[in-house]
């Protein structure tokens, strides 16, 4: 279990990207908004599920066409690429990337056998990092 301090750091990071308050990451209903903050100018639809319901941010130009539908999206909808593609069908002209698990650990909380094989990245990894970023 992560400490409250670690969770606050992670929540602050995502709240900044989505231009909301950290408490708004875990609302009891799906939140849909136009891109603001760090996402301003981004052409993609960003979906974050921290609590039980998604936080959806999209370009203001498509918000009117998707808002009502997106408010009904659940965790299971956005975690299923086929279901999400069906919901986005009239809008999409790109690809769905995800779902992607984002986990956090501290030196004390990481107890995975896989962690033993982890290594620090070096300059030799820069090509692979660039490919991952792309």
């Amino acid at each position: 279990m992560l400490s409250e301090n670690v969770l606050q750091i992670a929540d602050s990071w995502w709240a900044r990207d989505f231009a909301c308050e950290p408490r708004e990451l875990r609302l009891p209903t799906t939140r849909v908004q136009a891109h603001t903050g760090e996402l301003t100018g981004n052409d993609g639809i960003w979906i974050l599920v921290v609590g039980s319901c998604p936080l959806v941010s999209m370009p203001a130009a498509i918000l009117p066409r998707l808002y009502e539908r997106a408010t009904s999206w659940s965790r299971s909808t956005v975690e299923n690429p086929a279901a999400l593609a069906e919901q986005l069908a009239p809008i999409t002209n790109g690809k769905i990337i995800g779902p992607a698990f984002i986990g956090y650990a501290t030196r004390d909380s990481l107890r995975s056998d896989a962690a033993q094989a982890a290594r620090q990245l070096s300059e030799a990894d820069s090509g692979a990092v660039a490919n991952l970023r792309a």
Side-chain angles (χ1 to χ4, degrees):
M1 191 69 168
L2 295 175
S3 71
E4 192 62 33
N5 184 47
V6 171
L7 293 175
Q8 287 175 354
I9 292 168
D11 285 359
S12 293
W13 171 272
W14 289 112
R16 187 195 74 226
D17 272 7
F18 281 82
C20 66
E21 294 296 320
R23 63 180 164 68
E24 294 173 300
L25 298 175
R26 291 179 179 81
L27 294 175
T29 59
T30 299
R31 175 184 164 126
V32 181
Q33 64 185 35
H35 286 331
T36 58
E38 298 289 322
L39 294 175
T40 300
N42 189 290
D43 292 332
I45 297 172
W46 287 76
I47 304 170
L48 179 68
V49 183
V50 178
S52 59
C53 296
L55 170 56
V56 181
S57 185
M58 62 184 70
I62 63 173
L63 185 67
R65 296 187 327 195
L66 274 183
Y67 180 82
E68 188 140 346
R69 187 177 329 158
T71 60
S72 71
W73 295 349
S74 65
R75 173 186 280 273
S76 61
T77 303
V78 302
E79 288 180 346
N80 179 332
L84 186 57
E86 187 176 303
Q87 290 290 310
L88 295 170
I91 303 296
T92 57
N93 62 359
K95 62 183 175 177
I96 295 175
I97 301 172
F101 171 77
I102 301 171
Y104 303 97
T106 64
R107 185 180 307 254
D108 297 330
S109 67
L110 185 61
R111 298 282 184 234
S112 171
D113 291 339
Q116 302 306 316
R119 64 176 175 77
Q120 187 169 356
L121 297 177
S122 69
E123 189 61 37
D125 299 303
S126 61
V129 171
N131 286 339
L132 178 61
R133 184 176 291 130

